[in-house]
Amino acid sequence: MSFISVLFALLLEQARPLGRGNPVHASLRAWVRWCTRNFDAGKSFHGWLAWGFAVGGPSLASLAIYWLFDTFLGWPVAVVWSVAVLYATLGFRQFSFHFTQIRDALADGDEDRARELLAEWQQIDASELPRSEIVRHVIEYSVLAAHRHVFGVLAWFAVLAAFGFGPAGAVLYRLSEFVTRYWQHKSKTQHHPVSEALQQTAADAWVAIDWLPARITAISFAVVGSFEEAIDGWRYYEPRFEGDNDGIILAATSGAVNIRLGSAASVATFPADGAPAMPPGSVDRRSGSASGQTPELAHLAIIVGLVWRTVVMWMVLLALLTLARLLG
């Protein structure tokens, strides 16, 4: 069931991706705002209460619907529900549009246009970036976006689905990432900022929830890329900067494809409906790799190949696990 759900969700998302301002994301943003207004009273307990309702509420709701469908209507309907949830939480098309535009601008030699597109995507000042830095930023943002929109979602979905929790893992992961970014953005742009307790609660929860998926993504990139160099980059980075899951992914990516990344990487705060990206520098991210080639345009195709090989590997593993379960 997991394999079928993921396969159909990916195919559907490629054929007809969700547009910006869609009713699903709009409803979730309204829910998060309601939880903020009603539970954020400035203390740690209230922070966990608001986070629990904002993230746990939709996750439990998706699980309850899955169980009801599976119990009373049968597993095919439950699979359809899983596909619908994955369709809303999983997919390349939620970020690949920006990647493609910037790549095409660079291929045409229009670096000014590439800088404008990068600045629009990440809400940063890219006016002084040289060509290699534009490419490096695009690689870093794209790799981390692929992790958050695809591999992280797959990891939590697969783990919880194996225990009968259906698509709840996908909702848990995506909402955990969204509320962290949304509350940080709101605290800087609204007249009534979110409390520091709530922001810290969301950040702590996100680090914990993303701990396992980040390492699974790093291992996956190592398997489909240059394994030894990727693991060496990871091992060098992790003990020096504990708690930086994104840095581990960049370090592994740097080794896997022999590209120098991370020397001035911005934080992985990707824009989505209702929560624009924040400027870089919130986290002091050092270089994940002191060696490797300077990023060039050709490396963008290498990164695309790395990501798609990882997707294929994931699908093969899910297919084998599904087959083993059926035969067992």
Side-chain angles (χ1 to χ4, degrees):
M1 292 172 62
S2 297
F3 171 76
I4 295 173
S5 299
V6 172
L7 177 62
F8 277 95
L10 286 174
L11 292 174
L12 183 61
E13 199 267 343
Q14 288 293 311
R16 192 176 183 84
L18 280 174
R20 295 180 64 87
N22 62 82
V24 176
H25 292 167
S27 299
L28 289 175
R29 286 198 307 275
W31 169 250
V32 172
R33 287 195 295 267
W34 183 87
C35 292
T36 307
R37 290 195 305 268
N38 287 276
F39 298 108
D40 183 20
K43 295 186 177 181
S44 179
F45 169 77
H46 300 116
W48 284 110
L49 190 63
W51 186 92
F53 272 89
V55 177
S59 301
L60 291 175
S62 68
L63 174 61
I65 293 172
Y66 173 82
W67 280 349
L68 287 173
F69 284 164
D70 189 37
T71 302
F72 296 104
L73 299 178
W75 70 265
V77 180
V79 169
V80 172
W81 172 246
S82 294
V83 171
V85 172
L86 286 170
Y87 174 63
T89 57
L90 174 72
F92 290 99
R93 299 293 291 273
Q94 298 182 39
F95 68 90
S96 62
F97 173 74
H98 304 282
F99 174 90
T100 302
Q101 280 194 316
I102 297 172
R103 182 195 61 191
D104 292 346
L106 289 172
D108 294 337
D110 192 350
E111 295 180 11
D112 290 335
R113 176 58 176 164
R115 293 186 185 95
E116 292 176 3
L117 292 169
L118 178 61
E120 180 182 350
W121 180 17
Q122 292 300 323
Q123 302 297 304
I124 63 174
D125 181 9
S127 59
E128 302 298 327
L129 290 179
R131 184 181 179 90
S132 63
E133 285 297 289
I134 297 173
V135 174
R136 181 179 62 78
H137 277 75
V138 172
I139 290 174
E140 291 171 0
Y141 286 126
S142 300
V143 166
L144 293 172
H147 165 68
R148 296 189 175 192
H149 287 281
V150 181
F151 304 122
V153 176
L154 281 176
W156 269 102
F157 171 76
V159 169
L160 292 191
F163 293 96
F165 291 97
V171 179
L172 173 70
Y173 183 84
R174 287 297 299 131
L175 272 180
S176 297
E177 186 274 335
F178 173 76
V179 298
T180 304
R181 175 164 41 85
Y182 178 80
W183 283 332
Q184 288 177 357
H185 167 71
K186 186 177 179 182
S187 69
K188 296 179 180 179
T189 59
Q190 303 293 328
H191 296 297
H192 302 286
V194 175
S195 70
E196 292 185 5
L198 181 54
Q199 295 178 60
Q200 188 61 49
T201 295
D204 291 343
W206 169 242
V207 169
I209 288 173
D210 196 39
W211 188 92
L212 180 61
R215 283 148 183 82
I216 292 176
T217 297
I219 293 174
S220 299
F221 286 168
V223 171
V224 300
S226 180
F227 185 84
E228 185 175 352
E229 286 76 9
I231 297 300
D232 284 345
W234 174 1
R235 291 173 60 187
Y236 174 86
Y237 187 90
E238 184 168 20
R240 289 166 174 78
F241 308 105
E242 294 183 4
D244 186 4
N245 296 326
D246 295 332
I248 290 173
I249 296 170
L250 291 182
T253 304
S254 177
V257 295
N258 192 30
I259 302 175
R260 188 179 298 120
L261 298 176
S263 59
S266 53
V267 185
T269 48
F270 305 102
D273 293 345
M278 294 167 285
S282 304
V283 173
D284 181 17
R285 186 177 331 280
R286 280 75 168 182
S287 176
S289 174
S291 61
Q293 303 176 44
T294 300
E296 300 176 355
L297 179 61
H299 289 131
L300 296 180
I302 295 175
I303 292 297
V304 171
L306 180 79
V307 170
W308 277 110
R309 289 197 303 273
T310 305
V311 171
V312 172
M313 184 188 72
W314 268 91
M315 295 306 296
V316 170
L317 288 175
L318 285 175
L320 291 175
L321 290 173
T322 301
L323 181 61
R325 186 172 181 179
L326 290 175
L327 295 178

